[in-house]
Amino acid sequence: MANKPRYGSQHSDTDWGCDYFEVTTSSTTEKIKVCHVEVKDIKIISEALAKTVLDTSWMTSLDVGSRRAYDRTVRDTASALIEIFESTTSPSDVGVEFGEIMVSIGSTRALEKIFNHVIIPIAELWKPQKKQNEGFDFHTVCGEELINFGEAKYSGNSSPHGNAINQSKRFIEEEKHLRDYVHLKVLASDPAIENLNNDSFGIVASFSINARDPLEVLKNAIESAEEKLSLDSIKAVYLVGVSQ
């Protein structure tokens, strides 16, 4: 059983209206890393999320065929997401759709700031479906050149770390991470793709936190991840809690 984790370094992000905290743990599973995102200003993060989905600079490095293939899907999805962001300017406006995107993209931003991950545009932008994605929500590449498959869960009144971890486990068992290969091969680095082909990758379980003691929630999440995300092919596990 893991001891209660503690807060480590703090990173303030005025551009996103958030504070990010690295969380130190005594977990005997060295591959588990933890951080906590505290959203300080919904209006600022809503504006930052809108800028993120409108930023199509990542497509400029793609070949012509790939760029044309993604262009319409990205435009349609970005338009739908912008409507959600523009209607969310205060904590009382936050619904499930905004909350899950906030947890997804907010987590990638925290992983970039704390653990130096490279962010891949969220899957919702480049998968054909605008909603009901049948797979992971987002991806990053860490310094070890591992593609990290991210699953985000939001609730306005609970801390659904169990849902995020269980769904990640199920997606890996159903090999849904392998279905993303056709997209990731043009979005991720060659070494990261090679590692994926050798069954070496990471998992990010992200979830909202609604609790007086976020560290107790993170402690429970660590214990669950130790039990359920222990496959040898999972080389890294990142747990990201998001509160507001």
Side-chain angles (χ1 to χ4, degrees):
M1 179 178 295
N3 293 324
K4 191 171 181 177
R6 295 176 297 173
Y7 285 119
S9 59
Q10 176 180 352
H11 305 255
S12 292
D13 187 351
T14 56
D15 291 337
W16 279 59
C18 295
D19 286 341
Y20 311 121
F21 300 87
E22 185 172 3
V23 176
T24 61
T25 82
S26 59
S27 171
T28 55
T29 306
E30 293 183 358
K31 66 181 180 181
I32 295 179
K33 297 180 180 179
V34 185
C35 62
H36 178 200
V37 180
E38 187 174 11
V39 179
K40 311 287 286 188
D41 191 314
I42 289 294
K43 187 173 188 296
I44 291 177
I45 193 173
S46 183
E47 292 171 350
L49 294 174
K51 290 178 183 176
T52 298
V53 300
L54 289 173
D55 180 5
T56 58
S57 59
W58 58 274
M59 287 199 293
T60 60
S61 62
L62 304 180
D63 62 73
V64 174
S66 297
R67 192 163 59 244
R68 293 178 65 183
Y70 285 127
D71 183 62
R72 184 56 186 264
T73 299
V74 170
R75 279 191 289 139
D76 287 350
T77 306
S79 177
L81 293 176
I82 292 300
E83 287 185 21
I84 297 171
F85 299 148
E86 288 180 344
S87 64
T88 307
T89 59
S90 69
S92 61
D93 296 331
V94 176
V96 172
E97 286 184 307
F98 179 89
E100 293 216 347
I101 298 166
M102 177 180 72
V103 171
S104 291
I105 303 181
S107 294
T108 64
R109 178 77 169 182
L111 293 169
E112 178 187 43
K113 293 297 182 183
I114 296 177
F115 298 116
N116 299 315
H117 285 208
V118 174
I119 300 172
I120 292 175
I122 60 168
E124 193 157 357
L125 278 178
W126 42 262
K127 284 187 178 179
Q129 306 95 331
K130 288 192 290 187
K131 295 179 180 177
Q132 297 179 339
N133 284 336
E134 291 298 319
F136 286 98
D137 296 318
F138 63 91
H139 308 75
T140 68
V141 176
C142 59
E144 291 75 24
E145 294 290 355
L146 298 173
I147 295 175
N148 299 285
F149 293 85
E151 182 61 24
K153 292 297 179 189
Y154 172 83
S155 169
N157 52 32
S158 66
S159 303
H161 56 84
N163 293 346
I165 291 169
N166 289 338
Q167 186 142 307
S168 297
K169 178 176 183 288
R170 180 169 65 83
F171 280 175
I172 295 302
E173 290 172 344
E174 295 174 354
E175 298 186 340
K176 289 194 172 182
H177 61 304
L178 300 181
R179 302 180 194 181
D180 291 342
Y181 172 82
V182 292
H183 300 287
L184 292 171
K185 68 180 181 181
V186 298
L187 299 173
S189 65
D190 290 342
I193 291 297
E194 183 176 353
N195 280 328
L196 177 60
N197 287 336
N198 290 323
D199 286 329
S200 294
F201 54 87
I203 292 292
V204 184
S206 302
F207 46 88
S208 54
I209 291 180
N210 291 280
R212 290 185 178 180
D213 187 353
L215 291 176
E216 187 66 27
V217 173
L218 293 170
K219 172 179 175 290
N220 294 334
I222 291 167
E223 291 175 357
S224 179
E226 288 175 337
E227 175 188 353
K228 297 175 180 176
L229 300 176
S230 61
L231 281 177
D232 288 341
S233 56
I234 302 175
K235 305 300 184 188
V237 175
Y238 295 89
L239 302 174
V240 186
V242 180
S243 62
Q244 54 176 302

